[in-house]
């Protein structure tokens, strides 16, 4: 069962400049940054709010690190802007299977590693009214040490 909007992915040419825009304009601060070699991106997660299911909602800013990445190709075709929407779920495997059973193409046979250790898969935009859609199971939150 999908429980929240986990994040909205925004493709950009210059991550640092885009982060500064969101910080200066809206006061959003960077919660997490990483380079995802598999996806070919450098990213920043800007936390918007916590959610009732223990997760959070973010803006994910994505800058390609190589020309053959999906985000680089998307930027070349569309320019900067909203790249995808991601829905949070406790069971990315189960929800991906359920959506597949309804005729929606799931782009990965098995979920892959996403931001902050999450497990992700994508749904084909042609099956989702033109919207690239991601399903995300967040990594477990570790209990603080005492």
């Amino acid at each position: 069962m999908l429980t929240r909007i986990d994040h909205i992915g925004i493709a950009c040419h210059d991550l640092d400049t885009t982060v500064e825009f969101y910080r200066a304009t809206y006061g959003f601060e960077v919660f997490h940054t990483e380079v995802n070699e598999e996806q070919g991106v450098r990213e920043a997660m800007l936390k918007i709010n916590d959610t009732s299911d223990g997760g959070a909602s973010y803006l994910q800013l994505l800058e390609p690190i190589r020309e053959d990445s999906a985000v680089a190709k998307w930027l070349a075709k569309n320019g900067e802007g909203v790249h995808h929407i991601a829905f949070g779920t406790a069971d990315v495997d189960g929800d991906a299977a359920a959506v597949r059973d309804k005729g929606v193409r799931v782009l990965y046979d098995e979920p892959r590693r996403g931001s902050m250790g999450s497990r992700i898969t994508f749904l084909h935009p042609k099956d989702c009214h033109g919207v690239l859609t991601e399903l995300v199971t967040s990594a477990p939150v570790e209990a603080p040490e005492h």
Side-chain angles (χ1 to χ4, degrees), residues 5-118:
I5 295 175
D6 184 85
H7 67 271
I8 297 171
I10 299 173
C12 61
H13 292 293
D14 184 323
L15 186 66
D16 298 325
T17 299
T18 307
V19 164
E20 179 55 25
F21 168 80
Y22 281 97
R23 190 203 60 71
T25 305
Y26 305 114
F28 298 152
E29 296 295 337
V30 174
F31 180 80
H32 175 82
T33 61
E34 71 179 82
V35 172
N36 185 322
E37 294 288 345
E38 181 183 3
Q39 300 289 325
V41 296
R42 184 169 76 108
E43 65 178 82
M45 298 293 275
L46 286 67
K47 188 174 184 179
I48 307 305
N49 67 310
D50 293 310
T51 61
S52 62
D53 66 357
S57 293
Y58 303 90
L59 286 181
Q60 178 188 46
L61 306 179
L62 301 160
E63 174 190 54
I65 58 172
R66 56 179 199 268
E67 293 301 313
D68 68 339
S69 72
V71 171
K73 292 174 186 175
W74 190 91
L75 271 169
K77 181 178 178 182
N78 300 292
E80 293 185 309
V82 174
H83 179 261
H84 66 274
I85 186 167
F87 295 109
T89 172
D91 181 10
V92 69
D93 298 276
D95 283 338
V99 170
R100 183 181 287 118
D101 288 346
K102 293 177 181 175
V104 175
R105 287 174 281 179
V106 178
L107 299 184
Y108 303 151
D109 290 333
E110 295 291 327
R112 297 182 181 178
R113 183 195 173 284
S115 300
M116 301 183 289
S118 62

